[in-house]
Structure formats: structure tokens, C-alpha cells
Amino acid sequence: MTRTEFNDLVLKISRKLYGYAYRILKDQAGAEDAVQEVFIKLWKMNSRLGEYKSIEALASTMTKNYCIDQLRKVKQFKDNNDKSVTLLHASEPTPYEQMERSETASIIGRLIEKLPDTYREMIQLRDIDGLSYEEIAIQTDQNINTLRVNLSRARKLIRDEFKRYFYEYRGNKKAAGKIL
């Protein structure tokens, strides 16, 4: 996409994205920042934009996700006088959050290692290496629909086993069972 084409795209969809972001964030400056961040990301993805049927739909999804991420960073609570107080979360995770993320990544890594070869390969290629379904289909000589089914099943196995691990770790007897 050339610079001119990108500028035309910005002019075409910027108001729509701003309105979308404003409805989610209810903040003018935040909505403007969201739209700007989305356009920066789109420009960085310039070489891959041809892979998408609708750049406008992609931009809308990116805007929604960015806004949701911003809302998650804001914490609200009631003080002693029942007044709502808003605290901004620091952009860097706390040491506890870092430890929790590291532990979760380690557990998920072990679960991925125990997956059947086909499923492990799908997770590796799609979620870790970031390949598109088309690239994976060429590399593995498989149908795209088969790849999607296998990836879905692999993710479900990981999710179910992670939940089981989590419940066992917490001492919940209902989820007793063997991890993979």
C-alpha cells in the first residue's frame, strides 16, 4: 500500500473509528489516541494488509481491542464515603503479575509439550511462530479447514488441561484427574 492509498484509507475510516472508540471509552482524548495507535499499527503492517479482505473491518477490530485493553488498565473502587475512585494501573506489571505470567507460561509450555505431535505442530506454527493458515497449509501439505479443526482441538485440550491443573492446584476435588 502506498502512502497515498494509506492517507485515503485514513480519511475514509478515521471518523468511524473515532466514533467507535469514543462509544467504548467515553473519552475524547482516549478515543483520539486509540485511533492514532490503530493507524500506526496498520502502517507497520503495511506489507501484510493485502492478506485481509476488509482493512476497515481489521481496523475496527483493532480499535475495539485497543479500547478494551485501555479499559482493563483502569481500576475502580469505592472509597469509605461511597464515592467512586479511579486508579490508573501502571503500564508495567507488578512483580506478582510478572511471576504469575511466568508461571502460567511455564505450565502452558509443559502442556504443549505433552500434546500429540499434530496438535503440537499446529500450536507451534500458528500461535508461537505466527504463520498464517495458508503458510501452514503449504508447509504441512494439509487442507486449511483441517488445520483449523486441529488447531481448535489443540487449543481446547490445552485450555481444559490448564483448567484441570488450576483446580487441582487450588485443591478442588472435582477436577481430579491426570494432566495429559
Side-chain angles (χ1 to χ4, degrees):
M1 176 177 280
T2 66
R3 177 78 176 171
T4 305
E5 292 171 331
F6 189 77
N7 287 344
D8 292 342
L9 174 69
V10 169
L11 291 173
K12 178 182 173 188
I13 65 173
S14 60
R15 292 192 75 170
K16 179 180 179 180
L17 294 181
Y18 171 79
Y20 192 40
Y22 186 80
R23 281 191 301 275
I24 296 171
L25 297 173
K26 295 174 181 41
D27 174 47
Q28 180 181 355
E32 290 170 355
D33 289 344
V35 173
Q36 183 175 356
E37 287 298 319
V38 167
F39 282 128
I40 290 170
K41 288 178 185 177
L42 284 172
W43 181 252
K44 289 179 180 178
M45 295 175 56
N46 192 0
S47 62
R48 295 180 294 167
L49 288 178
E51 298 173 12
Y52 296 93
K53 282 186 179 180
S54 172
I55 297 173
E56 187 173 338
L58 172 66
S60 294
T61 301
M62 291 170 70
T63 301
K64 177 188 78 170
N65 292 339
Y66 180 85
C67 291
I68 290 171
D69 287 345
Q70 294 308 303
L71 290 175
R72 285 182 180 151
K73 290 180 181 178
V74 176
K75 297 279 186 179
Q76 287 196 353
F77 69 93
K78 301 266 185 192
D79 69 1
N80 292 338
N81 300 326
D82 280 339
K83 293 179 186 171
S84 182
V85 178
T86 301
L87 292 178
L88 290 179
H89 226 208
S91 59
E92 291 188 27
T94 65
Y96 176 78
E97 290 170 334
Q98 288 175 342
M99 180 202 62
E100 195 172 58
R101 287 178 188 170
S102 173
E103 195 173 293
T104 299
S106 173
I107 293 165
I108 290 175
R110 289 195 307 267
L111 292 175
I112 290 171
E113 288 174 12
K114 294 180 181 181
L115 286 173
D117 291 341
T118 305
Y119 293 164
R120 185 173 51 248
E121 181 182 25
M122 290 302 110
I123 293 289
Q124 177 68 41
L125 294 173
R126 179 69 179 157
D127 294 332
I128 298 172
D129 296 343
L131 298 180
S132 69
Y133 287 110
E134 292 78 15
E135 293 170 325
I136 297 170
I138 292 168
Q139 189 171 337
T140 62
D141 197 33
Q142 290 185 19
N143 180 308
I144 290 179
N145 290 331
T146 304
L147 295 174
R148 290 179 193 267
V149 168
N150 285 338
L151 186 60
S152 175
R153 289 177 181 166
R155 288 174 176 162
K156 184 177 183 334
L157 273 174
I158 291 170
R159 185 172 43 249
D160 291 347
E161 292 300 320
F162 184 78
K163 285 179 184 176
R164 183 176 299 145
Y165 177 86
F166 182 78
Y167 288 132
E168 286 176 1
Y169 180 74
R170 297 278 184 190
N172 188 339
K173 301 295 182 194
K174 287 186 211 175
K178 185 177 157 187
I179 296 179
L180 283 178

